[in-house]
Amino acid sequence: MAKIIQSIRGMHDILPDQSAAWQYLEGTIRTLFTQYGYRELRTPVLESTELFCRSIGEVTDIVEKEMYTFEDRNGDSLTLRPECTASCVRAGIQNGLLYNQQQRIWYIGPMFRHERPQKGRYRQFYQAGIETYGIPGPDIDAEVVAISARLWRLLGLRNVELQINSLGSSEARAAYRDILVAYLTEHEAQLDEDSKRRMLSNPLRVLDSKNPDLAELIEAAPKLLDHLDDESKQHFERFQQLLTDMGIPFVVNTRLVRGLDYYSRTVFEWVTTELGTQGTICAGGRYDGLVEQLGGKPTAGLGFAMGLERILLLLEEQSIEIPSLAPHAYLLMQGDAAEREGLKLAETLRDNVSGLRIMSNCASASFKSQMKRADKSGAQYAIILGDNEINEGVVSLKPLNGGEQQQLSQDALIEHLTHIVSTENNNG
Ligand code: ATP
Ligand code: MG
């Protein structure tokens, strides 16, 4: 037998049994973003490697060790996108979407990072996100947080905590950097190798370390929030005020610096304790310097990205029910005349019952095996068409959860199915 080829480690098939949950989540997200007036931007999954080096920053986990980078046949260095913010900015500059105007953008799609695969951490994973341009905030900062908060409500997710922080202006950060380096130098002996290196190249990232041995040291470090410039301070206060006004609870986490280099002022994460160390389901912030860094005119930017696998894991963890996409009805056909009529009948039903999901039996089989297929399809009803039904001009409808079978005219069947579909829609 030929050798079976496996998918790549950390990259998973989304199987038919799982895809209803994905469609539900993605559909909810698309509708939600559209409700706020955001429009979709689709960018290629491959970009020039330089785009990510220049935006995300050389001294980050992503650029240092997580990117899928290779040379194509022309010898150009390409990278599978590890995130989408850089791509959105690139597309915005290239297509003249950013200068002197406002944009509210969303995206959804796969991202690629060469990380150690584990629950909630994969090498291909999906993000849905929002990016806004030309709006300096803090009103828009509060709006994008409200969008994410609304998503958790729509999905029925519980126990996700909003953590916020401000990284200030780049000047304030530069001044704080010196204070932090002085503190870290004083405690250098306690630092791990990564942190020692980062202390020199990008000391703020030490605060982002996931090494539990450093937790105490980081907790005691001087806080950026105590060294903010006045404008950033006002921005942060107004942002908090707007969240409070909208009834969105939050906590200030002074250690929140985010893994990427390009953030300024507002940063935030939605965190749960129910997914172990992969507890951040959504993360974002303001990146007013990024557009210029990538060659555009200075333009305010702000966005977030959510990890769809982690949201789905949390839905499962909290036993939240996902609307079914199984057929409402499975059509059984018995005998030659019924097999001729059946496909036509199913088409008529689809024409007349909007939203109906009906599956026709294909490949003739005994009544018993057709019933098995009907059960396996997850349908709520079997519609039966046999010689009797054909002769009498009726169909039989049998609830598959054990109710009574009844004979109906085609019109009555249409009415019945319309009722079934509309009750489902009202409940869901
Ligand atoms: P983490 O600290 O968990 O590595 P991150 O700071 O690298 O996250 P971001 O770059 O901010 O993550 O990406 C935004 C969101 O995308 C994360 O909060 C998470 O929900 C999701 N995410 C990031 N990396 C992965 C991954 N490898 N697998 C699955 N989801 C991921
Ligand atoms: Mg990461």
Side-chain angles (χ1 to χ4, degrees), residues 78-380:
L78 305 183
T79 295
L80 277 167
R81 62 180 184 197
E83 52 110 52
C84 210
T85 299
S87 305
C88 288
V89 171
R90 184 216 28 84
I93 296 171
Q94 186 176 337
N95 296 286
L97 305 180
L98 305 187
Y99 179 57
N100 212 10
Q101 55 195 305
Q102 295 190 349
Q103 290 290 352
R104 287 166 155 98
I105 297 290
W106 62 267
Y107 63 82
I108 199 163
M111 309 295 155
F112 305 84
R113 297 184 193 178
H114 196 277
E115 303 196 64
R116 194 170 67 77
Q118 53 199 292
K119 186 178 168 196
R121 194 176 292 286
Y122 314 97
R123 291 182 172 174
Q124 173 172 333
F125 61 98
Y126 284 76
Q127 284 185 341
I130 270 185
E131 310 289 348
T132 74
Y133 300 103
I135 315 175
D139 43 8
I140 192 77
D141 307 29
E143 174 174 288
V144 304
V145 169
I147 296 175
S148 46
R150 184 172 294 277
L151 179 62
W152 318 141
R153 281 205 304 282
L154 286 170
L155 296 173
L157 286 177
R158 303 173 300 271
N159 304 330
V160 275
E161 180 181 77
L162 173 62
Q163 303 185 351
I164 63 172
N165 193 18
S166 175
L167 303 182
S169 64
S170 55
E171 294 78 29
R173 250 189 341 274
Y176 167 73
R177 195 186 142 112
D178 294 340
I179 299 168
L180 180 63
V181 171
Y183 171 83
L184 293 173
T185 312
E186 203 180 311
H187 298 89
E188 198 171 343
Q190 285 163 260
L191 296 180
D192 59 15
E193 285 312 309
D194 254 3
S195 300
K196 275 183 194 157
R197 203 162 39 81
R198 287 188 168 161
M199 183 180 88
L200 303 172
S201 51
N202 188 350
L204 252 74
R205 297 293 325 290
V206 177
L207 303 178
D208 199 27
S209 168
K210 297 200 170 67
N211 183 348
D213 298 341
L214 298 182
E216 211 171 302
L217 183 95
I218 290 170
E219 179 64 48
K223 295 183 174 33
L224 175 51
L225 210 52
D226 297 331
H227 299 270
L228 288 191
D229 52 296
D230 284 342
E231 248 182 276
S232 296
K233 223 183 262 172
Q234 280 166 20
H235 188 117
F236 194 48
E237 270 159 26
R238 180 69 175 205
F239 172 54
Q240 295 179 62
Q241 188 61 58
L242 291 169
L243 292 180
T244 306
D245 290 348
M246 286 189 287
I248 301 173
F250 59 85
V251 297
V252 175
N253 175 357
T254 54
R255 292 178 313 284
L256 192 68
V257 294
R258 305 284 308 112
L260 314 183
D261 267 2
Y262 51 56
Y263 287 107
S264 57
R265 291 201 172 145
T266 309
V267 288
F268 65 89
E269 288 191 1
W270 287 95
V271 185
T272 167
T273 52
E274 294 176 42
L275 294 177
T277 42
Q278 274 63 250
T280 304
I281 58 171
C282 175
R286 179 162 283 285
Y287 50 84
D288 291 341
L290 181 60
V291 177
E292 205 178 357
Q293 202 173 308
L294 287 176
K297 300 249 168 48
T299 307
L302 166 89
F304 66 66
M306 359 198 229
L308 300 193
E309 288 83 356
R310 292 188 192 176
I311 296 174
L312 288 168
L313 281 170
L314 195 57
L315 284 167
E316 200 180 305
E317 189 68 38
Q318 300 187 352
S319 308
I320 293 169
E321 208 179 317
I322 307 284
S324 166
L325 293 180
H328 300 103
Y330 188 97
L331 175 63
L332 287 75
M333 295 163 248
Q334 203 70 118
D336 192 52
E339 282 178 4
R340 276 194 63 184
E341 276 304 305
L343 288 182
K344 203 172 78 194
L345 170 66
E347 289 303 318
T348 306
L349 296 175
R350 291 186 188 101
D351 286 342
N352 287 284
V353 183
S354 108
L356 176 67
R357 298 184 299 271
I358 173 167
M359 202 168 169
S360 305
N361 184 71
C362 286
S364 348
S366 69
F367 185 75
K368 202 171 147 200
S369 26
Q370 290 194 49
M371 277 308 268
K372 271 195 191 145
R373 290 175 189 166
D375 275 328
K376 189 155 185 244
S377 77
Q380 304 156 41

